[in-house]
Amino acid sequence: MSLTKVTYSMIEGAVANILDFGADPTGVASSSTAFQSAINSLTNGGSVYVPQGTYLLNVTDGVLLDNNITMFGDGAASVIRFGNQDSLKADGKSNITIQSVKFKSENARVYFKACTNVKIIDCLGDGIRTSGGNLTQQGFWFDGCDDVLIENPYFQNYANAIYFEKNVTVPCGIVRVQGGRIEQTTHGSSIQYPTGVYTVNAKYTYVDGVTFLNIKPSSDSTDPSPIGYGVYEGDGTDGNLDLVSVTNCTFIDGDGYTAFPMVGILTSIAKIGNVDNCTFRGGFQGFAYGARTQKIQNCLFDGSWVYTGATTGITNYKNQLFSNNIFQNINAYPLIVQNGAPPLVESTLIVGNTFQNCAYGVWVFNAIYGNFIGNKFIDCNTAGSDANDFTQGAIVFNGPQQGFVDGNTVMNLNNGLSDYAVVSAVTAHGIVVTANNYFKGMLVGPMKRPLTAPPTTYTWQVGASIYNWSPSAGSAPGWVCVTSGTPGTWKAMANLAA
């Protein structure tokens, strides 16, 4: 990974070289006092230079950063090794930059509390402890901070590489993570829920252009269902988080380690969630749950699927948009929109997506409005082990709702039953299927599935139509519901010509 090297001559203003204050570049003796002395010498702010070498900071709450301080080094060659918790921290300070330094975090974190305008640029972090192969719990921790920028990080092997939380009642403000890579190169031990970017409480979180690689629980996890997350936004108070935006990111599960799973993104508390132009590769859940208003657009889910629904206790769960995404090579339901209890999903719009080589169709559960417009289902069910996987349908409604199905293409389902789509409704309140959809057979009105006789189960509304899946000369081409009920009263359409 390429990092920008900052040289001594590039820094303007006062510069304090830690070697001039007695720092030990071999990493044997403690350099905590030397670091603090270098910082304290800059009475009006300035820069602290960390030359090539390894420097041990081993005093708890030992080195305190000050206002208007830049700490910079020579990239991976300038290593700061922690021996105790919070050996480097800032409390209530502003205008702090750390650039081109590598942190070897034995069992510690870089900790910022109630700080503003903090920048971590071109830095590296390695959370592998030297004893026992354990992984470090935290990497870079921000408590009630505002205007935070982490640019081009290369962080590996932390439980929480980047962590944002609220300071008592004050959440973090605007936080940004841009570029770089966060990964696990080993699954070590002692980590149950590793996370790349963990937002407990931040008003506005922006994650852009970051690669998240193989972030999965440790090999010895004792939790019955451990999960790793690329971006996790949750555990906060409903309403404290306004926006979580994840754009231009890549999520990959590709190291062959399958003991425990990875999830790409989870948003569950925010008012607005935005996922745009991201790539998810591997057999894992690309997206879980959702913000109260969620948009997932222009993404590639290659082997990865999406489940979005409100978590327990979330109110005002409203609109879900899935637009211009590609779902391919998925041996599961590629997309499920679900909320099992009130409040129901207010509106779900699934528009312009392509589903290719998927084992199952798309389900919308308990939405007031569910609309499928201009989607393509091509060569599906080829990944499924069950020949009847797709008999529930390419497009499936379940629960009280209204819906509009228009301009979709369903072809080459490859399930032995030829090409068709099914709109299913346990209780239908008006699902409109237009003639603009391209299916092998005509599909009109809310349906459970094409049958060879009128339905005998489920509740149907007047006007629902079922087409005969196996018509013959002189037989009825289908049936129409003329009285609502369970299953209602059905009348045959005019018989075909003999």
Side-chain angles (χ1 to χ4, degrees):
M1 182 175 186
S2 176
L3 296 174
T4 302
K5 182 177 180 179
V6 179
T7 63
Y8 197 99
S9 61
M10 293 169 62
I11 302 298
E12 297 180 356
V15 178
N17 187 327
I18 60 170
L19 293 179
D20 295 336
F21 294 85
D24 176 14
T26 69
V28 175
S30 174
S31 292
S32 294
T33 299
F35 269 71
Q36 192 65 68
S37 296
I39 293 169
N40 293 345
S41 72
L42 302 169
T43 56
N44 294 315
S47 300
V48 175
Y49 176 47
V50 183
Q52 296 185 18
T54 297
Y55 303 90
L56 173 63
L57 304 184
N58 64 348
V59 178
T60 300
D61 295 332
V63 177
L64 303 178
L65 295 165
D66 206 346
N67 296 310
N68 308 311
I69 290 291
T70 294
M71 179 178 291
F72 71 100
D74 296 320
S78 298
V79 180
I80 298 176
R81 185 167 68 88
F82 291 158
N84 295 89
Q85 183 75 351
D86 300 343
S87 295
L88 180 65
K89 66 183 296 185
D91 189 345
K93 305 301 180 180
S94 61
N95 305 322
I96 299 172
T97 298
I98 302 177
Q99 186 166 1
S100 299
V101 174
K102 179 176 181 179
F103 293 93
K104 186 67 178 71
S105 305
E106 297 293 311
N107 186 22
R109 62 188 178 183
V110 181
Y111 182 51
F112 296 89
K113 179 179 180 180
C115 295
T116 59
N117 190 22
V118 178
K119 296 180 174 64
I120 309 293
I121 300 175
D122 293 336
C123 286
L124 305 91
D126 185 354
I128 297 180
R129 303 179 198 170
T130 56
S131 59
N134 293 342
L135 306 182
T136 299
Q137 296 296 318
Q138 292 92 25
F140 300 81
W141 188 299
F142 300 88
D143 182 352
C145 297
D146 190 19
D147 194 11
V148 176
L149 170 64
I150 301 178
E151 185 174 81
N152 198 28
Y154 181 23
F155 300 158
Q156 58 185 15
N157 302 316
Y158 292 104
N160 304 304
I162 303 170
Y163 190 89
F164 299 104
E165 71 165 350
K166 67 180 179 181
N167 177 22
V168 187
T169 59
V170 179
C172 289
I174 298 175
V175 297
R176 292 183 172 87
V177 184
Q178 298 178 183
R181 186 167 79 207
I182 301 174
E183 66 176 347
Q184 282 183 246
T185 61
T186 176
H187 298 289
S189 60
S190 77
I191 302 300
Q192 311 283 356
Y193 299 96
T195 304
V197 177
Y198 193 142
T199 302
V200 175
N201 248 313
K203 295 290 285 183
Y204 302 95
T205 301
Y206 299 90
V207 183
D208 181 72
V210 183
T211 295
F212 298 89
L213 184 62
N214 302 322
I215 300 177
K216 292 173 283 188
S218 298
S219 56
D220 68 343
S221 176
T222 58
D223 190 283
S225 56
I227 299 174
Y229 297 93
V231 177
Y232 182 97
E233 175 278 303
D235 295 347
T237 301
D238 182 16
N240 278 354
L241 299 96
D242 288 337
L243 171 67
V244 176
S245 177
V246 184
T247 56
N248 306 306
C249 291
T250 300
F251 301 82
I252 299 176
D253 179 356
D255 64 353
Y257 173 79
T258 58
F260 302 113
M262 168 180 169
V263 170
I265 302 172
L266 181 145
T267 62
S268 60
I269 305 293
K271 296 176 183 176
I272 299 174
N274 176 43
V275 180
D276 197 344
N277 197 36
C278 293
T279 297
F280 304 80
R281 294 190 185 277
F284 64 98
Q285 190 167 345
F287 185 92
Y289 296 108
R292 281 167 289 176
T293 295
Q294 183 71 55
K295 297 186 293 182
I296 301 180
Q297 304 177 91
N298 308 307
C299 294
L300 171 63
F301 295 90
D302 188 358
S304 302
W305 61 96
V306 171
Y307 170 93
T308 177
T311 55
T312 303
I314 300 303
T315 59
N316 300 317
Y317 190 60
K318 294 183 178 178
N319 304 309
Q320 305 290 298
L321 169 66
F322 307 88
S323 173
N324 299 316
N325 303 290
I326 297 175
F327 299 82
Q328 65 183 29
N329 306 320
I330 300 172
N331 194 17
Y333 290 103
L335 174 58
I336 297 177
V337 183
Q338 177 174 343
N339 194 14
L344 301 181
V345 180
E346 185 171 295
S347 177
T348 297
L349 178 59
I350 301 173
V351 56
N353 303 282
T354 297
F355 301 89
Q356 185 165 337
N357 193 28
C358 297
Y360 299 85
V362 175
W363 282 66
V364 173
F365 288 82
N366 296 332
I368 298 175
Y369 299 98
N371 302 307
F372 291 81
I373 301 173
N375 303 285
K376 296 180 180 180
F377 298 81
I378 302 172
D379 296 326
C380 286
N381 199 42
T382 55
S385 57
D386 183 350
N388 294 318
D389 283 343
F390 233 92
T391 57
Q392 292 177 315
I395 300 171
V396 183
F397 292 93
N398 199 330
Q401 70 269 133
Q402 300 178 41
F404 185 63
V405 181
D406 181 69
N408 300 281
T409 299
V410 182
M411 56 191 301
N412 300 333
L413 291 187
N414 192 33
N415 62 357
L417 296 177
S418 192
D419 299 346
Y420 68 95
V422 177
V423 177
S424 168
V426 174
T427 305
H429 292 293
I431 298 173
V432 177
V433 181
T434 74
N436 294 324
N437 300 283
Y438 174 76
F439 308 135
K440 186 168 184 178
M442 178 66 70
L443 186 66
V444 179
M447 294 188 175
K448 176 62 183 174
R449 56 167 290 180
L451 300 172
T452 56
T456 59
T457 58
Y458 298 102
T459 299
W460 301 87
Q461 306 300 312
V462 170
S465 301
I466 289 287
Y467 276 79
N468 190 345
W469 187 245
S470 183
S472 60
S475 68
W479 303 268
V480 177
C481 182
V482 296
T483 302
S484 299
T486 307
T489 302
W490 292 81
K491 295 295 183 179
M493 300 176 187
N495 287 354
L496 296 170

